[in-house]
Amino acid sequence: MNYENVVKSFFLGAIIGLALQVFSPGEADAPTRVLVVLASGGVGLLIGLVTEWLTALLPIRIARAGAYFLINNLIAVAITAIVVVSLVALNGEGVARADVWWPVLGVAVGIVSVANLVDYLLYRRAQLRLRALQAQLADAATAERSEV
């Protein structure tokens, strides 16, 4: 299990909570808003734990980076959607009013998808830099051997 991704999920949940505070401001005082953001972070942490646990159960034959990131994103989006709809359903009136939960679901799933895309792009960038560094080291070693 990748605990770094679980910690990232906490911050992603907090960002989602903050975004929802901005997009649909209610009539709450500052301490309540902070608690909502922290609660969103806690929900994100739980979603991250479940997502990483399910991803760890994947068979080794699909151990390519692109497949891993795609499946991880699909799991994260599905779990996020389930959690958001469940939280809205527990709210009571939320499920009956689509104008309440569709924007929340859209913001949460959109942020999770963008975050996973950024994570994949950062991974690809790091891999390209690593390959370039390896090539430089191999060239330097070859030049050193030819000088001796």
Side-chain angles (χ1 to χ4, degrees):
M1 186 178 315
N2 188 348
Y3 292 107
E4 181 181 330
N5 285 346
V6 175
V7 172
K8 286 179 187 176
S9 295
F10 169 80
F11 289 107
L12 187 61
I15 289 169
I16 290 170
L18 188 64
L20 291 174
Q21 294 281 328
V22 171
F23 291 133
S24 61
E27 296 176 12
D29 56 349
T32 304
R33 290 180 186 271
V34 170
L35 284 176
V36 167
V37 170
L38 289 176
S40 294
V43 170
L45 184 71
L46 292 175
I47 290 172
L49 279 170
V50 171
T51 300
E52 287 300 315
W53 178 72
L54 288 174
T55 304
L57 297 176
L58 294 173
I60 195 70
R61 60 186 152 85
I62 61 167
R64 292 182 312 276
Y68 168 80
F69 277 99
L70 177 66
I71 292 170
N72 191 347
N73 184 45
L74 292 175
I75 291 171
V77 165
I79 292 171
T80 301
I82 290 168
V83 168
V84 167
V85 170
S86 298
L87 288 174
V88 170
L90 291 174
N91 188 18
E93 68 181 39
V95 175
R97 295 185 46 208
D99 62 322
V100 171
W101 65 276
W102 272 110
V104 172
L105 182 62
V107 167
V109 168
I111 290 174
V112 168
S113 296
V114 168
N116 279 315
L117 179 63
V118 168
D119 196 27
Y120 177 70
L121 292 175
L122 290 174
Y123 166 80
R124 294 288 300 161
R125 180 176 166 218
Q127 289 299 311
L128 291 173
R129 289 177 134 184
L130 177 63
R131 287 188 188 119
L133 181 61
Q134 287 173 333
Q136 286 177 346
L137 291 174
D139 290 344
T142 304
E144 187 176 302
R145 274 188 251 139
S146 65
E147 290 177 2
V148 174

